[in-house]
Structures are given as C-alpha cells and as structure tokens.
Amino acid sequence: MDKKTVLITGVLGGIGSQLARTFSENNYRVIGLDLVDEPSPYCEKFIRFDLNRYCADPDYKSHMETILNKEVPELFVLINNAAVQILSSLSEVKIQDWNQTLNVNLTGPLMLSQLFLDRLEKSQGSIINIASIHHQLTKKRFLAYATSKSALVGLTKSLSVDLQGRVRVNSISPAAIDTQMLRDGFNNDETKVKQLNELHPSQRIGKPQEVSQLALLLAEDKLGFINGANLNIDGGISNVLKDLD
C-alpha cells in the first residue's frame, strides 16, 4: 500500500517532532521543514526552510518553491505547525517582531496552503493548522502571538468555506503542552511546572503525543465530516474562572 505524504512545518520542535513520529509510525511518508538544520529521524525527507523569509523575500520564495515542487510531488496532509512567540506589551512591541510573528504564524500557513492546494485537492487531503489556546484566552505581553493565533483560527474557518468540496481544513488549539520550550519558559523550575499542572482540571498539562494523535484522527478519512473546526485540547482550563477564595 502506497504511503500517504504529510508535510510538517516546525518539525524539530516538541510538538513538531512528535507529529513526525506519530505519522511515521502510522505509515505516512513524512517531509519535515524547519529553520534549524538538524534532520529528524522520523522524516523521510528534511528541508531547511525559513518561513519568515519565505513570506518576506520574493527571491527566496521562488527558490524554495522550486525545491518544494520537486521534493513534494504529491501531498495528503499539510500541517502548519511552525510558530514564533515573541513577548512584548503594546508600549514595547517592535514592528519587525510583529511582522515576523504574523509571517510565521499566519501568512506562512496561507502561502503554503496556496502552494499545495492542487496537490491536496488531487489526493482529497486536508490542512491542519496548529493554533493555540491563546486564540481565546491569553496573558499579558502575548500581544503578537495571541493575535496571530486568533487569526489562524479565523483563517481555518474561512478556508474551509472557500475550499468547500476540495480540501478540508481544521485547526487544533493546545493549552500548555509538556515540551522543553515550555519548561525553558519556567527556567526548568519544577515547582512552577507543578503549579501549572494543578491549574488544569485534568490536574496535568498535555503531552505532545496527545496533540499528534488528534492530528492523525483529523487527517484520516474516517472523520471526514469534521471541517472548519477548531478543536481545543486544553485539559479543561478554558472552563476555569479564577476568583477570590
């Protein structure tokens, strides 16, 4: 049986590497894109790819599309997973950081969807956007990131309508997922990680494989009626109202 092909951006991150592993273990041909040149063991093909530059530099865009058209002749699933998170408040936000965030988190997924549309339509495949709980609930200094993820969910819904009958489009919005990036954000302080666990009704944060298993389910034809959906995977934290004891 021929393998179906999945392309995953940001394939070397905590969620991205687990996406690659899960799809590889389920008989997919995995093509991974990432800014860092450290090929993943779960990718049959790895391509170094600067998503921000792809959006901002026409010459680089043309060069990379020549490579992608050669290396990805067919595609069943496009997973727009790459993201950048640059923290700043309104008074300190830099326009270059704002533009980079929108390029990587929003415009890049749009442009890659456009590039691979014909291939996805031919395979009757789908697009899966990895959004974030920040599309709905956010914190101080997440101005650019939260805006980009809100717009990514909006793009998901709009594309599902625009591409009706051609390509399914869905998004996944994780809350806190146990990755090294998350732990680095807490300076690997286990006390803070424990507190974060306890904030969730599940009494724990999520695992990368839970996100990847959900993506696999969305990719398969058995759930083909799910289209234009944004699925929260958040341990119930979006139901929590903080108040005084």
Side-chain angles (χ1 to χ4, degrees):
M1 188 176 186
D2 292 339
K3 289 184 176 181
K4 295 175 180 177
T5 300
V6 57
L7 186 143
I8 303 168
T9 66
V11 76
L12 299 179
I15 292 177
S17 60
Q18 185 61 52
L19 284 165
R21 178 172 184 172
T22 295
F23 277 83
S24 176
E25 290 174 348
N26 284 272
N27 202 38
Y28 277 78
R29 176 175 181 254
V30 178
I31 299 176
L33 274 56
D34 209 295
L35 182 62
V36 183
D37 194 3
E38 296 177 4
S40 163
Y42 306 111
C43 294
E44 289 193 22
K45 185 168 293 293
F46 175 84
I47 301 169
R48 187 175 183 181
F49 186 78
D50 186 333
L51 195 51
N52 181 45
R53 190 176 173 191
Y54 177 71
C55 296
D57 182 342
D59 290 337
Y60 180 81
K61 176 179 181 291
S62 178
H63 171 69
M64 292 309 303
E65 287 185 351
T66 299
I67 294 173
L68 291 171
N69 286 332
K70 178 183 177 182
E71 300 294 346
V72 194
E74 57 184 17
L75 188 63
F76 184 68
V77 188
L78 169 64
I79 303 183
N80 290 305
N81 169 69
V84 62
Q85 188 181 91
I86 304 172
L87 303 186
S88 60
S89 62
L90 179 59
S91 60
E92 61 188 355
V93 64
K94 298 176 181 177
I95 194 62
Q96 60 265 34
D97 293 341
W98 176 266
N99 288 338
Q100 180 184 353
T101 301
L102 292 180
N103 280 345
V104 175
N105 298 2
L106 177 65
T107 308
L110 171 71
M111 291 171 63
L112 289 176
S113 299
Q114 187 178 55
L115 174 65
F116 290 112
L117 174 58
D118 290 344
R119 277 160 276 192
L120 291 167
E121 183 176 10
K122 183 177 180 180
S123 68
Q124 296 183 305
S126 71
I127 298 166
I128 300 173
N129 296 319
I130 305 301
S132 169
I133 193 173
H134 283 272
H135 87 276
Q136 176 185 3
L137 304 167
T138 193
K139 301 183 289 188
K140 288 183 177 180
R141 306 189 73 242
F142 277 76
L143 189 67
Y145 184 76
T147 299
S148 70
K149 291 300 187 178
S150 296
L152 184 60
V153 171
L155 177 65
T156 299
K157 296 179 179 183
S158 297
L159 282 177
S160 73
V161 175
D162 192 64
L163 300 178
Q164 55 188 281
R166 301 173 69 189
V167 175
R168 288 189 302 119
V169 189
N170 293 293
S171 60
I172 297 172
S173 287
I177 303 296
D178 194 355
T179 62
Q180 191 57 51
M181 180 185 292
L182 178 138
R183 290 180 175 272
D184 288 345
F186 289 101
N187 296 315
N188 293 297
D189 186 331
E190 286 299 324
T191 299
K192 290 183 178 179
V193 174
K194 181 176 182 294
Q195 291 173 343
L196 183 61
N197 276 286
E198 292 170 353
L199 285 175
H200 294 73
S202 62
Q203 293 296 285
R204 67 171 178 86
I205 58 177
K207 302 173 183 177
Q209 53 265 41
E210 291 174 310
V211 178
S212 67
Q213 287 293 335
L214 180 55
L216 182 66
L217 286 172
L218 286 175
E220 295 296 321
D221 297 329
K222 293 177 183 178
L223 292 178
F225 196 52
I226 298 179
N227 190 19
N230 174 64
L231 302 181
N232 288 339
I233 179 166
D234 64 9
I237 198 169
S238 60
N239 301 319
V240 175
L241 176 64
K242 282 191 173 183
D243 207 342
L244 299 175
D245 293 330

